[in-house]
Amino acid sequence: MSAKKDANFATQCIHGGQHPDPLTGAVMTPIYQTSTYAQEEPGKNKGYEYARTRNPTRDALQANLAAIEKGDFGVCFSSGLAAMDNVLKLLQPGDEVLASDDLYGGSYRLLTAVFGPFGIKSRFIDMRDPANVEKEISAETKMLWIETPTNPMLNIVDIEALTAIATSKGIMSVVDNTFASPYLQQPLTLGADLVLHSATKYLGGHSDVVMGAVITRSADLAKRLYYLQNAAGAVPGPQDCFLVLRGIKTLHLRVQRACENAREIVKVLQNNNLVANIYYPGLQDHPRHDVAKKQMRDFGAMISFDLKEDTLEAATQVMKNTHYFTLAESLGGVESLIGHPASMTHASVPREQRLSVGLTDSLIRLSVGVEDVEDLVKDLEMALAAAVGAKA
Ligand SMILES: *Cc1c(COP(=O)(O)O)cnc(C)c1O
């Protein structure tokens, strides 16, 4: 049964926006695998005409997404970048987006290479200091694009401080909440106009689906996004909507366990004398630890670290010798992943620029999953030991 508005997070994950199927009473929303719907007579139907416009499985997911982000409207798209593409279509040529300078690579590419030629300008700035953001806002700035924690450096920006600046200047604020998930932070409650997800990551949670979502409290923005969803057509299929709905039912359990595992992994890294720097917002000496503590329920399950022997070869030895940490892009699934940003996700960023933000040649990124942490610890310790062996 649908969750009450005041229900807590886990209850929202499981019940938010959900109703037994009106036809059969099926407790789980069926996969309505249909492209069209029979009409009784021209102009008379049950609210469904064509599946690009509406599908009951998608409706159930959208209502659930709204509930878990404490919004009123959820709009889902065929990928995270398709969601972003539609959000950017809210702008006009001549408008400017101010985005964080440590941004998901695909978001950077969409802003610069796709929307740039259509006359939408983007500038990339350090958002860690709110005063810097305020200073950079120009007459053309129409949107703040915020990501926190960032990838792969795990920087934290103060959502409440930035959305307050945006609101005072009449600028739309968007938070890409992919890395945190709504279990850890709910940007709409901190003043954001729009929250965006790559549902491919924590929301789906099982590395078996690609999807994106936008959530808002604004009826006006929702109306424009539903219009674009139908008019531009980047909609997810009903099977994928079902998978994400199913994934969200355990979101709170998965993220909670992943955060606990991550804390243990950080301890292992701290005690290993091959490791140089550890990037994880839960560390007391993380430069924005206090902001993370204020706006997040826990510190997430993404960890980056680099090696004292700062070479690709040393990092490769670690990545080649893990058994449970699979070498792969993406994040947020039940299984642990290991990746090398310099050669994988951030290969297109010039080396000097990479180094200037701390993204060294040996930087390794972990997406900690929900396996037994003892096995993950052993796995990582063995891989690090193998890296020493190879050097000797
Ligand atoms: C993966 C990701 C995206 C893009 O989502 P897709 O579903 O891959 O299109 C956007 N932002 C962040 C932070 C991501 O990690």
Side-chain angles (χ1 to χ4, degrees):
M1 241 358 120
S2 179
K4 298 178 179 158
K5 199 87 179 166
D6 66 352
N8 293 304
F9 188 76
T11 308
Q12 294 292 1
C13 283
I14 294 163
H15 295 282
Q18 304 309 293
H19 307 276
D21 181 49
L23 185 64
T24 63
V27 171
M28 290 301 138
T29 308
I31 301 166
Y32 281 88
Q33 193 76 49
T34 187
S35 62
T36 191
Y37 308 87
Q39 310 198 7
E40 287 151 56
E41 57 186 72
K44 196 166 170 207
N45 57 60
K46 297 180 162 66
Y48 296 91
E49 292 165 89
Y50 184 63
R52 174 166 24 74
T53 320
R54 272 189 87 190
N55 175 288
T57 320
R58 197 171 90 207
D59 283 352
L61 172 60
Q62 293 186 149
N64 182 252
L65 289 164
I68 63 174
E69 277 289 6
K70 283 203 181 344
D72 293 315
F73 308 94
V75 196
C76 55
F77 297 94
S78 52
S79 71
L81 286 180
M84 180 174 184
D85 178 76
N86 282 275
V87 168
L88 294 175
K89 284 173 180 153
L90 298 170
L91 300 171
Q92 300 288 325
D95 289 352
E96 179 189 74
V97 181
L98 273 190
S100 24
D101 58 2
D102 188 23
L103 202 64
Y104 174 72
S107 305
Y108 176 82
R109 181 176 57 200
L110 187 60
L111 283 166
T112 54
V114 179
F115 278 87
F118 283 98
I120 291 173
K121 288 177 291 178
S122 298
R123 273 191 299 129
F124 302 89
I125 60 167
D126 187 345
M127 290 193 166
R128 284 174 290 180
D129 178 10
N132 185 45
V133 177
E134 182 143 33
K135 197 180 74 203
E136 293 286 350
I137 288 172
S138 73
E140 285 76 46
T141 307
K142 292 287 150 55
M143 187 180 278
L144 280 195
W145 194 275
I146 302 164
E147 216 182 283
T148 180
T150 65
N151 174 31
M153 300 315 297
L154 284 310
N155 287 322
I156 299 288
V157 306
D158 188 330
I159 298 174
E160 202 165 22
L162 294 195
T163 60
I165 293 169
T167 305
S168 75
K169 307 245 176 187
I171 296 168
M172 205 187 304
S173 58
V174 188
V175 177
D176 182 337
N177 203 25
T178 301
F179 260 49
S181 91
Y183 174 74
L184 296 179
Q185 77 190 9
Q186 293 173 310
L188 297 180
T189 68
L190 302 171
D193 295 309
L194 296 173
V195 172
L196 180 131
H197 279 280
S198 167
T200 314
K201 318 292 169 51
Y202 285 103
L203 299 185
H206 297 73
S207 306
D208 52 10
V209 63
V210 171
M211 200 193 290
V214 184
I215 301 103
T216 184
R217 289 177 172 179
S218 155
D220 171 55
L221 289 174
K223 191 166 161 229
R224 291 163 70 194
L225 286 166
Y226 287 129
Y227 178 83
L228 286 166
Q229 184 189 39
N230 179 55
V235 293
Q239 169 100 19
D240 287 352
C241 291
F242 173 86
L243 284 172
V244 174
L245 257 179
R246 163 182 269 224
I248 290 171
K249 289 185 196 302
T250 56
L251 177 68
H252 53 297
L253 301 172
R254 290 185 284 104
V255 179
Q256 186 182 5
R257 170 66 92 84
C259 289
E260 286 166 15
N261 285 357
R263 248 191 294 285
E264 295 304 310
I265 297 287
V266 166
K267 284 185 205 154
V268 169
L269 295 171
Q270 284 176 312
N271 291 324
N272 192 294
N273 57 16
L274 298 177
V275 173
N277 303 290
I278 303 169
Y279 301 94
Y280 168 70
L283 290 173
Q284 298 283 340
D285 61 359
H286 183 288
R288 292 289 183 282
H289 176 68
D290 54 330
V291 178
K293 224 164 135 176
K294 182 181 74 168
Q295 69 190 17
M296 299 172 79
R297 189 203 294 251
D298 201 338
F299 301 107
M302 299 300 297
I303 305 164
S304 292
F305 66 97
D306 59 11
L307 304 173
K308 285 187 186 141
E309 190 192 335
D310 182 33
T311 63
L312 171 61
E313 291 69 32
T316 301
Q317 282 307 320
V318 177
M319 291 181 287
K320 262 173 57 181
N321 285 290
T322 53
H323 180 73
Y324 294 119
F325 281 93
T326 306
L327 179 62
E329 293 195 8
S330 201
L331 62 117
V334 286
E335 71 294 327
S336 294
L337 299 180
I338 189 166
H340 185 244
S343 68
M344 294 165 74
T345 46
H346 291 65
S348 59
V349 182
R351 186 165 183 271
E352 301 317 306
Q353 201 179 319
R354 269 198 277 117
L355 293 178
S356 73
V357 298
L359 204 168
T360 55
D361 292 338
S362 69
L363 191 88
I364 291 172
R365 191 190 81 176
L366 302 177
S367 168
V368 180
V370 300
E371 299 93 335
D372 286 302
V373 73
E374 298 80 3
D375 294 321
L376 296 180
V377 164
K378 257 190 261 172
D379 195 31
L380 204 58
E381 280 175 341
M382 260 163 52
L384 284 161
V388 192
K391 198 179 72 177

